[in-house]
Amino acid sequence: MKVLVIEDDKEIVDAISLAFQIRWPEAKVVSTRLGQKGVDLVETESPDIVIIDLGLPDINGFEVLRQIRRFSNVPTIILTVRSDEVDVVKGLEWGADDYITKPFRQLELLARVKSLIRRHTPSEAELLTYGPLRLDPVTGQLHVGEKEIALTVTENHILSHLMRNAGHVVTHSALAESVWGDDYPGATDSLKVHISRLREKVEGDPSKPRFILTKTGVGYFLTKPD
Ligand code: CA
């Protein structure tokens, strides 16, 4: 288990390192204060999870995410300052799997990391198929007909859940519980962002979805296009 921390605030890096040292000593923490170096380390160190601060001295956290997502679906958590909802939404849009607001408690950090790692290694290895969609939930590789698409951990989890319940409406709270193990305040908004990223990848015209449909005020359901 290797954790990469991209953060320029030494106190935060120390707090994260200490949290792992105490509560998850097998985990190795690697850190850098520079965004560009962080992107390089994702490639050379192959971390199991990456924690990214949004405000960095060279390139910002969104740019770091964008560059990582060009070649990797490693689980990512962004660090934001409390109440910065716009940053959270933007981070999720750029491919972050989850977020933690600063200041955070050790247990909260570890819980988020563990939930994300657990999701990244699904126990069932069955290939999911529905209409032209074929998804390998272990790797997050999705085929839509001939087209091959790489999903992030969270996108993979959401689509897997929708595919297992294809044709039925999955409520926001059921989907949030399945993804985060908890229906937390704001989950509906986070889901909305992940769903819109999924539509960008899956749908021919994301503004007129044919696969992932919205049941307004209730949730989402997967359907076969005619
Ligand atoms: Ca910073």
Side-chain angles (χ1 to χ4, degrees):
M1 165 73 186
K2 195 187 280 179
V3 185
L4 171 62
V5 182
I6 308 174
E7 161 71 275
D8 60 322
D9 185 334
K10 195 176 174 303
E11 275 182 30
I12 302 274
V13 176
D14 289 347
I16 294 173
S17 300
L18 186 66
F20 279 98
Q21 221 173 313
I22 292 171
R23 301 179 189 274
W24 196 344
E26 314 86 77
K28 183 185 173 204
V29 178
V30 179
S31 71
T32 173
R33 56 186 292 276
L34 295 176
Q36 200 62 62
K37 181 82 200 298
V39 176
D40 295 344
L41 286 173
V42 172
E43 208 159 9
T44 55
E45 295 280 325
S46 306
D48 298 287
I49 192 156
V50 186
I51 299 172
I52 307 166
D53 177 39
L54 291 179
L56 295 165
D58 55 344
I59 54 174
N60 68 36
F62 301 118
E63 177 60 20
V64 173
L65 265 172
R66 194 181 68 81
Q67 293 194 23
I68 290 174
R69 284 294 176 247
R70 282 190 189 151
F71 64 90
S72 170
N73 287 307
V74 62
T76 52
I77 297 179
I78 50 170
L79 292 173
T80 71
V81 179
R82 201 166 286 282
S83 83
D84 254 347
E85 276 174 42
V86 178
D87 279 355
V88 168
V89 171
K90 194 171 167 194
L92 298 176
E93 280 173 353
W94 286 84
D97 291 288
D98 207 345
Y99 66 94
I100 294 173
T101 48
K102 295 191 268 192
F104 49 83
R105 290 172 299 115
Q106 276 189 359
L107 283 176
E108 182 192 355
L109 172 79
L110 271 290
R112 290 294 178 111
V113 168
K114 282 187 174 161
S115 135
L116 198 49
I117 296 281
R118 208 171 40 234
R119 276 191 279 144
H120 197 49
T121 47
S123 47
E124 326 93 295
E126 94 279 34
L127 200 66
L128 296 170
T129 60
Y130 186 69
L133 306 179
R134 274 185 302 134
L135 174 63
D136 181 348
V138 175
T139 62
Q141 283 297 316
L142 171 71
H143 285 86
V144 184
E146 295 300 299
K147 203 169 139 197
E148 194 176 336
I149 300 160
L151 300 182
T152 66
V153 181
T154 306
E155 290 162 359
N156 178 16
H157 200 93
I158 290 174
L159 189 59
S160 299
H161 196 73
L162 290 176
M163 286 178 83
R164 291 195 179 101
N165 295 279
H168 303 280
V169 175
V170 179
T171 64
H172 294 132
S173 64
L175 199 51
E177 268 199 54
S178 136
V179 174
W180 292 287
D182 188 16
D183 179 17
Y184 65 93
T188 300
D189 291 334
S190 295
L191 282 173
K192 197 186 278 179
V193 179
H194 290 295
I195 289 281
S196 104
R197 277 181 55 89
L198 259 175
R199 282 178 176 149
E200 293 284 339
K201 292 185 174 182
V202 174
E203 308 279 355
D205 178 357
S207 67
K208 296 194 188 74
R210 300 186 316 141
F211 292 106
I212 305 166
L213 303 191
T214 301
K215 181 88 175 164
T216 309
V218 182
Y220 301 96
F221 64 104
L222 193 67
T223 184
K224 277 180 205 169
D226 297 328

